[in-house]
Amino acid sequence: MRHTRQSLASALALVLLPGAAAAVEPLDTVSFSVGSYVSRFDTRIRADGQILDGTTVDLSRDLGLDPDDLLAFARLTWRPFDRHEFGLSYFNNDVSIEHRLERDIVFEDELYRAGATVRASYDLDSIEAYYTWWGFSSENWALGPRLGVTVYRLDVGLELELDVNGNPVGGGGIGDSFNGDLPAPTLGASWRWTPAEDWRISADAGWLNTTINRIDGTVGYGRLGVEWHPWSNAGLMLDYNYTRIRASTERDHFTGHLNMRNSGLRLGVVVRY
């Protein structure tokens, strides 16, 4: 998902094809969006082992990981029946860096001393699926309940590269990782409004506190966007997304805690029918 420029170039080519403008409706039958995601991630994680309680680690402050980045995203919506809509979206974010620790960190029963140099890695896949029932609508707006679930595939790795004296650590040294699939369901509402011929405003929001696959979590989600459609089957989009997740899991020989906030602007093109 790092081919942002190529994706945007292909999408813009579709937008620039000649076509007569038509009044945009609140809902599309099929739409496909692609573009850039200016993301900001604020993630704290704790991995307890069998013997020691883990340290709450701020990925940016403690490990030097700065997952803020310009990413590529893709989204598909399909409304096979008048009031029923389904959607999918995806993006990926990954970063890896060497960092000298400023404090002791306990991660999965391993102690990493202040002054040691570690290689930290962060890899996140986000796959969202949702269903909306457009139960209330008129000529220029639509409103309905929304059920969504985002599966975050998260992998955070920590490996010792240099000890506190600056000596290299050979292969098979200290290292561990926190990885797994985190399902984040939300129950909320969606709204679409066309205030003018070529413009569409959209908003989605949801929240849920639940337990899935031995993961206790609280999820909040919100999105506000605007679209401009000067062409008959294509237009431009800009929206702001915010997701907050707090989750804990207790499994055999492992306890993990995650506090993650994901927010940012998405700019792209929309092809619709």
Side-chain angles (χ1 to χ4, degrees), residues 216-230:
D216 298 324
T218 301
V219 183
Y221 166 78
R223 184 187 72 85
L224 179 65
V226 60
E227 299 175 19
W228 177 49
H229 292 273

Side-chain angles (χ1 to χ4, degrees), residues 111-169:
L111 174 61
Y112 300 84
R113 295 286 188 183
T117 299
V118 298
R119 172 161 293 279
S121 60
Y122 174 96
D123 190 356
L124 176 72
D125 286 298
S126 171
I127 306 170
E128 181 197 22
Y130 75 85
Y131 164 75
T132 301
W133 177 65
W134 297 109
F136 313 94
S137 63
S138 71
E139 183 179 352
N140 68 339
W141 63 268
L143 175 69
R146 179 184 190 273
L147 176 62
V149 60
T150 302
V151 177
Y152 292 98
R153 294 180 176 174
L154 178 65
D155 191 341
V156 178
L158 199 58
E159 184 177 356
L160 186 64
E161 299 255 315
L162 302 175
D163 62 23
V164 294
N165 298 313
N167 300 316
V169 178

Side-chain angles (χ1 to χ4, degrees), residues 51-198:
I51 303 172
L52 301 174
D53 289 339
T55 305
T56 299
V57 179
D58 185 304
L59 298 190
S60 177
R61 182 191 63 207
D62 294 323
L63 300 182
L65 289 169
D66 187 10
D68 302 353
D69 207 348
L70 182 64
L71 313 174
F73 79 92
R75 182 178 65 186
L76 175 68
T77 71
W78 177 44
R79 188 166 56 94
F81 307 105
D82 188 48
R83 296 183 181 273
H84 303 275
E85 180 177 294
F86 302 88
L88 288 171
S89 66
Y90 174 81
F91 72 85
N92 169 266
N93 192 11
D94 64 89
V95 62
S96 177
I97 193 172
E98 285 188 359
H99 182 72
R100 190 170 184 267
L101 298 179
E102 297 181 358
R103 66 178 180 127
D104 292 351
I105 289 177
V106 177
F107 190 84
E108 281 265 49
D109 275 340
E110 298 288 357
L111 174 61
Y112 300 84
R113 295 286 188 183
T117 299
V118 298
R119 172 161 293 279
S121 60
Y122 174 96
D123 190 356
L124 176 72
D125 286 298
S126 171
I127 306 170
E128 181 197 22
Y130 75 85
Y131 164 75
T132 301
W133 177 65
W134 297 109
F136 313 94
S137 63
S138 71
E139 183 179 352
N140 68 339
W141 63 268
L143 175 69
R146 179 184 190 273
L147 176 62
V149 60
T150 302
V151 177
Y152 292 98
R153 294 180 176 174
L154 178 65
D155 191 341
V156 178
L158 199 58
E159 184 177 356
L160 186 64
E161 299 255 315
L162 302 175
D163 62 23
V164 294
N165 298 313
N167 300 316
V169 178
I174 298 175
D176 220 318
S177 64
F178 177 101
N179 56 71
D181 292 348
L182 174 63
T186 56
L187 180 62
S190 292
W191 173 68
R192 304 289 183 268
W193 176 44
T194 52
E197 185 177 75
D198 300 331

Side-chain angles (χ1 to χ4, degrees), residues 45-54 106-109 154 156 176-181 214-215 247-258:
I45 191 171
R46 192 180 99 201
D48 298 339
Q50 300 181 53
I51 303 172
L52 301 174
D53 289 339
V106 177
F107 190 84
E108 281 265 49
D109 275 340
L154 178 65
V156 178
D176 220 318
S177 64
F178 177 101
N179 56 71
D181 292 348
R214 298 175 68 182
I215 299 175
S248 298
T249 181
E250 293 188 9
R251 302 185 182 183
D252 295 339
H253 312 303
F254 176 77
T255 300
H257 306 272
L258 175 70

Side-chain angles (χ1 to χ4, degrees), residues 3-16 34-36 269:
H3 307 294
T4 305
R5 293 182 179 177
Q6 295 90 330
S7 300
L8 283 174
S10 301
L12 285 173
L14 290 173
V15 170
L16 295 176
V34 63
S36 295
V269 296

